[in-house]
Amino acid sequence: MIYTDNTNVGLKIGYSDRVAEAQLKEYKAWLIENNIKYSLVYIPQWANFPCAINMRNEDATMFKLVFGL
C-alpha cells in the first residue's frame, strides 16, 4: 500500500465568483499566517478556479477543523 505525505483538501465553494474569491482569499491568508506550505490544485489544468488545496496531512487535518470542511 502506498502512503502519501500530502493530501488534497477539496474546496466547497459554490455561490458566486465574488464569494468564492473572498473565501479563497481567507483560506490563503490563514495558511500564510500559520506558515503552511500549500499549492492550489486545478482540475483540469486550464480551469480558472482551484478545486482543491494540496498540503501536508497534519496541516490538512488542522485546516479542515478550523474551517469545518
Side-chain angles (χ1 to χ4, degrees):
M1 184 169 258
I2 298 173
Y3 295 102
T4 60
D5 294 335
N6 290 353
T7 187
N8 289 339
V9 177
L11 300 177
K12 297 180 182 178
I13 301 174
Y15 304 105
S16 68
D17 291 337
R18 203 173 292 159
V19 173
E21 287 292 332
Q23 189 69 41
L24 183 62
K25 187 175 181 181
E26 181 183 354
Y27 290 161
K28 288 165 60 174
W30 185 85
L31 291 166
I32 291 169
E33 180 182 311
N34 290 297
N35 199 23
I36 296 174
K37 294 179 182 176
Y38 69 94
S39 62
L40 300 176
V41 179
Y42 295 89
I43 297 176
Q45 281 185 317
W46 58 85
N48 293 330
F49 200 77
C51 66
I53 301 175
N54 184 291
M55 63 188 85
R56 290 184 338 189
N57 291 334
E58 299 84 14
D59 297 334
T61 303
M62 185 171 58
F63 182 80
K64 288 178 185 178
L65 289 173
V66 168
F67 290 105
L69 297 175

